[in-house]
Amino acid sequence: MGQLSGKVAIITGAAQGMGEAHARRFVAEGARVALTDVNTERGQALADELGHAARFWTHDVSNLADWVRVVAEVAEAFGTPTVLVNNAGIIGPVETTVEISEESYLQVIAINQHSQFYGMKTVIPYMQRAGGGSIVNISSSAGMIAVVGSPNLAYVASKFASRGMTKHAAVQYGPDGIRVNSVHPGYIMTPMMAAAMGENGAGAGAGVPLRRPADPDEVTSMVLFLASDGASYVTGTELVVDGGLLAG
Ligand SMILES: NC(=O)c1ccc[n+]([C@@H]2O[C@H](COP(=O)([O-])OP(=O)(O)OC[C@H]3O[C@@H](n4cnc5c(N)ncnc54)[C@H](O)[C@@H]3O)[C@@H](O)[C@H]2O)c1
């Protein structure tokens, strides 16, 4: 028996990076996993590799109608979803508040923040019918403080919002047995990090007490815990996975 046996999970942004790592481990732990992403080619290839317990949906998380379609199709294909990992996100341009355009600001907010609202809004009724569930909202260390080197104001705003929406939903839906928690990664070696830091993100660990960035799988361990029944009394909390970055 895996830690997620019998569960149906939706993971957004699952074509690469942390979402990919979560999808791989969730399948290994016995879940049926809906991988969703705008990158159809990579997401489909990964789902094919993971076998019958995985399926891919092309899905723009910033579009509510897309959420309604995808979640209904997942329920039809796999059964009622009881785990949602709101992982998809972008960093947007590395620009100051004066420099960033309104268009870029709104795009980051739509993909990082509106997506988590749409995901919870769409999936929670299914979880209520199932008698409970677990939602994991991926925020960031930038959702705890405005870390030096945060790419822009919109990214920080969206990640603080993720943390706030998590707490609101946890309070509102606790009585339905739905747990909602946020995860706050620090520097994690993914394609996003490589793009943000240059040189494949090699220098990312310098200011971290553990003196290294993390492998995506080290975040997966925390997401897996929150998704599993092992976290049955854990809701409305913040799980920081940052090698000690915020301690200093
Ligand atoms: N890498 C880090 O160090 C780090 C640190 C803190 C938080 N995070 C957060 O973790 C999450 C995953 O980051 P990552 O580093 O794996 O990023 P990544 O860029 O490697 O992967 C993100 C995935 O999201 C997908 N995506 C982008 N826009 C989308 C949309 N509109 N709809 C659906 N999918 C979309 C991309 O196609 C990609 O597959 C993000 O929310 C990110 O903000 C990352």
Side-chain angles (χ1 to χ4, degrees):
M1 288 283 281
Q3 290 185 63
L4 299 180
S5 289
K7 297 195 189 297
V8 174
I10 298 173
I11 303 175
T12 68
Q16 67 177 33
M18 279 185 263
E20 173 182 349
H22 305 337
R24 288 183 181 282
R25 189 94 79 88
F26 274 34
V27 168
E29 290 292 342
R32 277 165 293 173
V33 181
L35 293 78
T36 88
D37 206 292
V38 285
N39 187 339
T40 300
E41 199 177 326
R42 270 192 84 126
Q44 188 62 60
L46 178 60
D48 290 347
E49 181 195 330
L50 292 176
H52 69 277
R55 259 179 77 170
F56 176 76
W57 275 266
T58 301
H59 174 207
D60 177 357
V61 293
S62 65
N63 181 312
L64 178 57
D66 231 18
W67 270 103
V68 172
R69 172 187 62 83
V70 167
V71 177
E73 289 177 11
V74 171
E76 176 82 19
F78 277 156
T80 304
T82 50
V83 174
L84 169 64
V85 182
N86 270 322
N87 166 76
I90 60 169
I91 52 173
V94 180
E95 288 177 343
T96 66
T97 299
V98 173
E99 290 164 348
I100 192 169
S101 68
E102 182 183 15
E103 185 188 17
S104 295
Y105 175 88
L106 292 173
Q107 186 190 31
V108 171
I109 296 294
I111 295 176
N112 293 4
Q113 177 181 339
H114 296 177
S115 63
Q116 299 195 355
F117 159 52
Y118 295 154
M120 292 194 285
K121 176 178 173 60
T122 310
V123 168
I124 283 171
Y126 288 85
M127 292 181 170
Q128 286 173 313
R129 287 197 285 279
S134 172
I135 296 171
V136 183
N137 289 325
I138 305 302
S139 176
S140 171
S141 49
M144 303 293 288
I145 61 167
V147 190
V148 175
S150 298
N152 55 64
L153 161 111
Y155 188 80
V156 172
S158 68
K159 295 303 185 180
F160 266 75
S162 167
R163 182 169 154 226
M165 293 192 300
T166 295
K167 293 194 189 306
H168 185 272
V171 169
Q172 195 150 63
Y173 295 104
D176 295 327
I178 299 170
R179 297 183 295 101
V180 192
N181 293 286
S182 56
V183 168
H184 300 258
Y187 292 111
I188 319 299
M189 290 303 290
T190 66
M192 175 189 279
M193 169 61 62
M197 301 289 290
E199 298 175 3
N200 286 329
V208 177
L210 289 182
R211 290 291 184 272
R212 63 175 180 86
D215 185 79
D217 212 46
E218 296 179 275
V219 179
T220 297
S221 299
M222 298 297 106
V223 175
L224 171 63
F225 167 67
L226 291 172
S228 77
D229 294 340
S232 55
Y233 204 58
V234 182
T235 195
T237 198
E238 299 146 1
L239 224 162
V240 176
V241 191
D242 70 347
L245 184 67
L246 297 184

